[in-house]
Amino acid sequence: MELELTGNASSVIPCGRVEHEMDPSRRAFVAAVVSVLAWPEDGMKAESGDGPAAPRNFIFFGRERQRISERAFLEHPHIVGAQLKYTWRELEPERDRYQVQPLLDDLAFLEARGKRLFVQLQDVLFSEEPVVPDYLRTDPAFGGGAARKYEYEGDDESGARFDGWVARRWDPAVRARFIRLLEVLGTKVDGRIEGVNLAETSVGFGESGKLHPRGFTYENYVEGVKATMTGARRAFPRSCVIQYANFMPGEWLPWTDRGYLRAVYAWADRIGVGVGGPDLLPYRKGQQNHSYPLIAARGRHTPAGVAVQDGNLGGSIPPRGNA
């Protein structure tokens, strides 16, 4: 399939229920390539019984939302729609004042041209740009609203570098406000949009505890992620909901396995939320040991979505000798 687009690809295995489970080895392969290929799933039949269901391909434009007007995208018959990012801060600039019109305008534009919208809702950013509304940052009840996250090489936290901001997902007060945003969006676009995906679970706070934000524990982070998934599912009963679950703080599989990531995937199966991740890196050991086997082993009614994002293509080349 030729694709003369410079946006990145993102695909979702359909959200409808299926009658037959795919062979596990086949499922693992499909999970690894759906972001770039419209690969038929021989073992999956749609609930309607009309035949096999195939991944649906979206172009990930991220926050370059103006690019949905490009002809190469609009005229391509194999691209279902666009995956666009919207940050919490821009959707709720002030407490209980929601600015949803830009999202509605994008949706109307796509609908008029026969394309679908998949919303990526950002409560995390990899920059100095604030990601949460100001009231969360200034009201002491929210503990600052967001926390600094870090990256570093190996186990050496002494060289930790600032890696952006993430909402305090483990904080019940902050989480309640995020779920309220989901509810507001649900009343306006549930059923009209193809789906909504929650940003990746991976955050870098180190293992020693020195970089841990106030009130953070590994366990309450897991529970916070699960509670947000539940809130999203309730807010969007008709549209697809996907949690990008790639890594979890406090474990590194297979050596340190506390069951955190597996708990997120089990919860997704239980409540009808899809799973996936932001990066298609089939030869990266981290993905091989974490999200990819869990995506492959997901419940037969659980949709999956994997996005090809910036920098992924270099990591998708087989290592020398393994082609």
Side-chain angles (χ1 to χ4, degrees), residues 137-291:
R137 304 171 71 198
T138 58
D139 188 334
F142 301 108
R148 297 169 68 90
K149 57 191 184 69
Y150 303 88
E151 62 177 11
Y152 50 89
E153 297 296 330
D155 298 325
D156 184 12
E157 295 182 21
S158 64
R161 301 178 299 277
F162 173 73
D163 189 41
W165 294 93
V166 60
R168 288 172 53 86
R169 296 167 172 171
W170 58 94
D171 186 326
V174 174
R175 188 168 62 247
R177 295 303 307 170
F178 188 70
I179 291 174
R180 176 58 185 155
L181 171 64
L182 287 165
E183 292 169 347
V184 170
L185 292 177
T187 62
K188 297 180 180 296
V189 299
D190 180 41
R192 288 182 63 188
I193 63 172
E194 182 76 16
V196 58
N197 74 272
L198 304 171
E200 65 184 84
T201 56
S202 176
V203 291
F205 294 145
E207 302 297 322
S208 69
K210 296 178 180 179
L211 301 177
H212 287 189
R214 180 162 54 89
F216 170 86
T217 68
Y218 300 133
E219 291 74 20
N220 66 16
Y221 185 78
V222 175
E223 293 308 310
V225 169
K226 290 164 61 178
T228 302
M229 292 164 63
T230 300
R233 179 73 283 170
R234 290 174 177 167
F236 289 89
R238 294 181 293 169
S239 295
C240 186
V241 176
I242 289 180
Q243 172 69 64
Y244 275 178
N246 47 357
F247 305 94
M248 291 290 282
E251 63 180 13
W252 188 253
L253 308 179
W255 299 276
T256 305
D257 183 356
R258 297 188 174 104
Y260 299 150
L261 190 60
R262 286 188 285 106
V264 170
Y265 276 77
W267 191 248
D269 281 342
R270 178 174 175 180
I271 66 173
V273 166
V275 293
D279 294 301
L280 185 69
L281 296 166
Y283 302 104
R284 185 76 61 83
K285 283 295 183 182
Q287 277 74 12
Q288 290 175 359
N289 290 337
H290 290 78
S291 58

Side-chain angles (χ1 to χ4, degrees), residues 29-242:
F29 179 65
V30 171
V33 300
V34 289
S35 293
V36 291
L37 297 176
W39 199 271
E41 298 180 65
D42 298 338
M44 294 182 78
K45 291 187 178 296
E47 189 174 24
S48 64
D50 293 334
R56 309 185 73 197
N57 296 301
F58 295 76
I59 293 298
F60 175 72
F61 289 122
R63 297 175 73 183
E64 296 181 285
R65 302 193 296 256
Q66 74 283 356
R67 297 187 60 196
I68 59 176
S69 63
E70 293 180 4
R71 285 184 58 189
F73 160 66
L74 293 174
E75 296 178 2
H76 202 293
H78 301 296
I79 302 300
V80 173
Q83 184 184 24
L84 305 178
K85 280 186 181 181
Y86 303 85
T87 69
W88 184 355
R89 182 181 176 87
E90 66 182 312
L91 292 174
E92 189 189 12
E94 299 176 8
R95 183 165 185 163
D96 293 322
R97 183 174 74 83
Y98 296 95
Q99 181 61 273
V100 185
Q101 195 58 49
L103 188 156
L104 295 176
D105 291 343
D106 291 338
L107 175 58
F109 179 89
L110 292 169
E111 286 178 328
R113 291 154 181 83
K115 298 292 188 182
R116 301 286 287 169
L117 173 61
F118 216 105
V119 170
Q120 180 163 320
L121 188 55
Q122 290 296 124
D123 66 340
V124 58
L125 287 176
F126 299 87
S127 69
E128 286 280 6
E129 179 185 354
V131 69
V132 300
D134 282 339
Y135 76 87
L136 290 171
R137 304 171 71 198
T138 58
D139 188 334
F142 301 108
R148 297 169 68 90
K149 57 191 184 69
Y150 303 88
E151 62 177 11
Y152 50 89
E153 297 296 330
D155 298 325
D156 184 12
E157 295 182 21
S158 64
R161 301 178 299 277
F162 173 73
D163 189 41
W165 294 93
V166 60
R168 288 172 53 86
R169 296 167 172 171
W170 58 94
D171 186 326
V174 174
R175 188 168 62 247
R177 295 303 307 170
F178 188 70
I179 291 174
R180 176 58 185 155
L181 171 64
L182 287 165
E183 292 169 347
V184 170
L185 292 177
T187 62
K188 297 180 180 296
V189 299
D190 180 41
R192 288 182 63 188
I193 63 172
E194 182 76 16
V196 58
N197 74 272
L198 304 171
E200 65 184 84
T201 56
S202 176
V203 291
F205 294 145
E207 302 297 322
S208 69
K210 296 178 180 179
L211 301 177
H212 287 189
R214 180 162 54 89
F216 170 86
T217 68
Y218 300 133
E219 291 74 20
N220 66 16
Y221 185 78
V222 175
E223 293 308 310
V225 169
K226 290 164 61 178
T228 302
M229 292 164 63
T230 300
R233 179 73 283 170
R234 290 174 177 167
F236 289 89
R238 294 181 293 169
S239 295
C240 186
V241 176
I242 289 180

